[in-house]
Amino acid sequence: MQLRYAFRVYPDAGQRIALAKAFGCARVVFNDVVRAREDARKAGKPFPKAGELSTRLITEAKRTVERSWLGEVSAVVLQQSLRDAEAAYKNFFASLKGTRKGPKLGAPRFKSRKDTRQSIRFTANARWNITDSGRLNLPKIGAVKVKWSRTLPATPSSVTVIKDSAGRFFASFVIDTDPAADANRMPDTDQSIGIDLGLSHFAVLSTGEKIDSPRFLRRAERKLKKAQKDLSRKRKGSKNREKARLKAARAHAQVTDARKEFHHQLSTRLISENQGIGVESLSVAGLARTRLAKSVHDAGWTAFVNMLEYKAQRYGRTLIKIGRFEPTSQTCSTCGVKDGPQPLSVREWTCTACGTVHDRDHNAALNVQQAAGLAVSACGAPVRPEPVLAQREETGSHGFPTGNRAVAAQQPVEKARILALQGEEHVNPTAPTPRARGRRCCGSELCR
């Protein structure tokens, strides 16, 4: 499978100017492709092919006075920008036909030079390399300093240089990993867990462990509010407004990076400790339309589940998603009786059938684990228990208080024996009672 490894890069002043030129040239080529496609659509003509666009918008455009500055950057950057536009149209048409999963996509739009996030991509044809001193040598840009936080597991096939809204530069490498080698790196385990995601606690595991929600956005709200207020008071187009925008963008980037780091650490720990993981697929888009929208976005459940999914695929683990309509919070994990919906304010409830006192989140995590089929084993053994016929003394025993059901089922027999010794007559406890036949009960102590 393919993965991305991103590292922070620190270009100098001259390299920043060269990167700005590359960003601008890639944006111009992308916009030229979109304009050519739109002109063909309005004229009723077929869309031009990628080869024709490459010749007309890149090769021949360099020879003109208006586009001669396209030759100042690497040709690979321009070709990749053209391919990005072609991929955008391909995804748009696939979305119209319904062959592409996910939300509907719109037609590609023109890029603006005022966009705060820009990127260029270099493939192997660009002949970029990593020097012996650890710098990233890019064509027509130079050797850029890289902050290596970890080693690359394999030779990358391409690198994308990204400038984010906070003015930071990153180098994102595409790596082809070997799933078999990655699976051998993980320790052998036969443990399996169920995860219940929430807001009061970010995650509650079926083992009983509760992971507190960091609430990065809530904790940084005062700082973000001040940064946004300062930005709104600056005149548009001024240098002070650009400084205030960078300050606000950096404050938001700190929140995003902290949340992503938390998700990575937790997902890696859960994947390394468990062979099977069950999680509930939540409708984040629907929850984001409620009064809990800010807290839902602050938790970042979708990003966390996506990390679990690709890490499980990479390291040979099993991740099972159960339906969002599974009544995990309404079902007793001990006896399996559905007790009905409970308001969010109820964090503990007692099962009316078996009398077990449940913690709402822990009970939901246990039900997630059982619904995913991970309650017994996750290493090839049958994970779902086979159905067993109910014993005769279990019939109608759900009204007994907590305790062993077998002991509770024997209580009517003991009561009948005591009444017989006292000389009182009563119906056979093993025979159907008048109440069971629909007639009026005899009113004795046994039938109460």
Side-chain angles (χ1 to χ4, degrees), residues 264-324:
H264 271 297
Q265 291 183 359
L266 179 59
S267 60
T268 301
R269 179 172 73 88
L270 296 178
I271 288 294
S272 61
E273 294 177 354
N274 302 276
Q275 177 64 31
I277 297 177
V279 66
E280 187 177 9
S281 59
L282 301 174
S283 177
V284 177
L287 293 172
R289 292 192 291 266
T290 64
R291 59 184 179 86
L292 302 174
K294 183 181 290 187
S295 298
V296 169
H297 286 306
D298 191 11
W301 294 327
T302 302
F304 175 71
V305 174
N306 290 339
M307 289 182 184
L308 285 176
E309 187 173 6
Y310 89 80
K311 290 180 181 180
Q313 181 181 359
R314 179 183 181 184
Y315 296 111
R317 306 302 199 192
T318 302
L319 178 68
I320 301 177
K321 298 180 181 179
I322 67 172
R324 67 186 63 171

Side-chain angles (χ1 to χ4, degrees), residues 125-413:
N125 297 332
R127 297 181 181 179
W128 60 272
N129 64 327
I130 300 175
T131 63
D132 297 336
S133 59
R135 289 178 175 261
L136 178 61
N137 191 11
L138 300 174
K140 296 190 178 182
I141 294 177
V144 184
K145 181 181 177 182
V146 184
K147 182 66 174 180
W148 299 101
S149 57
R150 50 185 171 173
T151 58
L152 293 174
T155 303
S157 58
S158 66
V159 59
T160 303
V161 181
I162 304 170
K163 181 184 178 182
D164 66 356
S165 59
R168 303 176 300 177
F169 291 86
F170 294 90
S172 178
F173 298 91
V174 176
I175 303 294
D176 293 323
T177 61
D178 185 10
D182 293 335
N184 293 332
R185 292 167 50 192
M186 286 286 105
D188 295 335
T189 178
D190 58 351
Q191 300 294 326
S192 62
I193 59 170
I195 304 176
D196 177 66
L197 300 175
L199 295 178
S200 58
H201 292 88
F202 176 78
V204 178
L205 309 183
S206 57
T207 57
E209 179 184 358
K210 294 185 177 182
I211 301 171
D212 292 333
S213 180
R215 299 179 181 178
F216 297 105
L217 180 63
R218 294 289 186 179
R219 292 190 298 177
E221 271 188 326
R222 180 176 297 180
K223 181 179 180 181
L224 295 174
K225 181 180 178 180
K226 184 178 183 302
Q228 293 293 151
K229 184 184 293 185
D230 294 341
L231 174 61
S232 64
R233 292 176 176 176
K234 298 297 185 293
R235 182 171 57 87
K236 292 185 178 181
S238 64
K239 292 184 177 180
N240 286 335
R241 182 178 178 85
E242 179 62 20
K243 294 178 183 179
R245 189 199 65 79
L246 283 176
K247 186 176 180 181
R250 288 175 184 141
H252 282 283
Q254 289 179 358
V255 175
T256 303
D257 294 344
R259 184 187 298 112
K260 187 182 297 184
E261 180 68 14
F262 169 74
H263 289 165
H264 271 297
Q265 291 183 359
L266 179 59
S267 60
T268 301
R269 179 172 73 88
L270 296 178
I271 288 294
S272 61
E273 294 177 354
N274 302 276
Q275 177 64 31
I277 297 177
V279 66
E280 187 177 9
S281 59
L282 301 174
S283 177
V284 177
L287 293 172
R289 292 192 291 266
T290 64
R291 59 184 179 86
L292 302 174
K294 183 181 290 187
S295 298
V296 169
H297 286 306
D298 191 11
W301 294 327
T302 302
F304 175 71
V305 174
N306 290 339
M307 289 182 184
L308 285 176
E309 187 173 6
Y310 89 80
K311 290 180 181 180
Q313 181 181 359
R314 179 183 181 184
Y315 296 111
R317 306 302 199 192
T318 302
L319 178 68
I320 301 177
K321 298 180 181 179
I322 67 172
R324 67 186 63 171
F325 299 108
E326 190 74 20
T328 56
S329 298
Q330 307 174 19
T331 306
C332 175
S333 58
T334 303
C335 63
V337 174
K338 184 178 178 181
D339 199 56
Q342 302 283 351
L344 290 177
S345 59
V346 177
R347 309 315 302 174
E348 289 186 359
W349 57 278
T350 303
C351 179
T352 57
C354 64
T356 305
V357 179
H358 292 291
D359 179 88
R360 182 191 184 102
D361 299 330
H362 184 213
N363 177 73
L366 291 173
N367 289 328
V368 169
Q369 184 185 19
Q370 295 176 4
L374 302 173
V376 177
S377 174
C379 298
V383 293
R384 296 186 184 273
E386 297 182 357
V388 180
L389 295 176
Q391 301 298 323
R392 184 175 181 86
E393 60 270 11
E394 291 183 356
T395 305
S397 61
H398 296 292
F400 291 115
T402 59
N404 192 347
R405 289 190 175 184
V407 176
Q410 296 175 1
Q411 291 180 359
V413 181

